[in-house]
Amino acid sequence: LQGLRAAQQRFAAERDWGQYHTPRNLLLALVGEAGELAECFQWKGEVLPGLPGFSAEERQLIGEELSDVLLYLVRLSDACGIDLAAAAAAKLRKNAAKYPADRCRGSSAKYTRYSQQDTGAQG
């Protein structure tokens, strides 16, 4: 992530785009790119892992849209002064505590179901 962050900083600086890369503008761009990614899956029904049935052209487009989402996310985290790698690692630890593997394996229930089990509460 640090390499991507530095490359984006250089890219924006070379074009004098830093003035436009405010957190709000970057967030809106990120949402727009997520929408473009969603279009790749629109009307496809349920899509299996590995994207069977997708053409090489469709897969390339999905890779490009995923990259746009990632790049805007990294740029947004930089504009917000957030260490994205550290924040993601902390979030993974938090999720591991919220979703203990021994109790939630194979279930898509919300974490509150598992925390209620801890306290003996009924839900």
Side-chain angles (χ1 to χ4, degrees), residues 55-68:
S55 70
E57 204 171 75
E58 289 172 317
R59 295 172 66 80
Q60 180 177 344
L61 179 59
I62 289 169
E64 290 173 4
E65 297 304 341
L66 284 167
S67 296
D68 286 339

Side-chain angles (χ1 to χ4, degrees), residues 3 13 15 28 32-33 45 54 62 76 84 88 93-94 110:
R15 290 155 181 81
L28 293 174
E33 294 300 338
F54 279 64
I62 289 169
L76 175 60
L84 187 56
R93 288 189 299 274
K94 185 175 182 177
K110 190 172 178 176

Side-chain angles (χ1 to χ4, degrees), residues 43-120:
W43 315 122
K44 296 281 190 180
E46 189 57 50
V47 175
L48 297 174
L51 307 180
F54 279 64
S55 70
E57 204 171 75
E58 289 172 317
R59 295 172 66 80
Q60 180 177 344
L61 179 59
I62 289 169
E64 290 173 4
E65 297 304 341
L66 284 167
S67 296
D68 286 339
V69 169
L70 175 63
L71 292 171
Y72 272 118
L73 181 62
V74 170
R75 187 73 173 139
L76 175 60
S77 68
D78 187 30
C80 292
I82 302 292
D83 180 338
L84 187 56
K91 184 64 174 177
L92 281 171
R93 288 189 299 274
K94 185 175 182 177
N95 286 345
K98 285 170 47 173
Y99 294 96
D102 62 327
R103 283 185 268 155
C104 69
R105 183 173 281 107
S107 172
S108 62
K110 190 172 178 176
Y111 73 91
T112 52
R113 178 167 174 228
Y114 307 111
S115 61
Q116 288 171 349
Q117 289 174 359
D118 287 341
T119 63

Side-chain angles (χ1 to χ4, degrees), residues 3-14:
L4 289 175
R5 181 177 168 262
Q8 287 185 282
Q9 286 175 339
R10 283 191 304 275
F11 184 89
E14 289 168 355

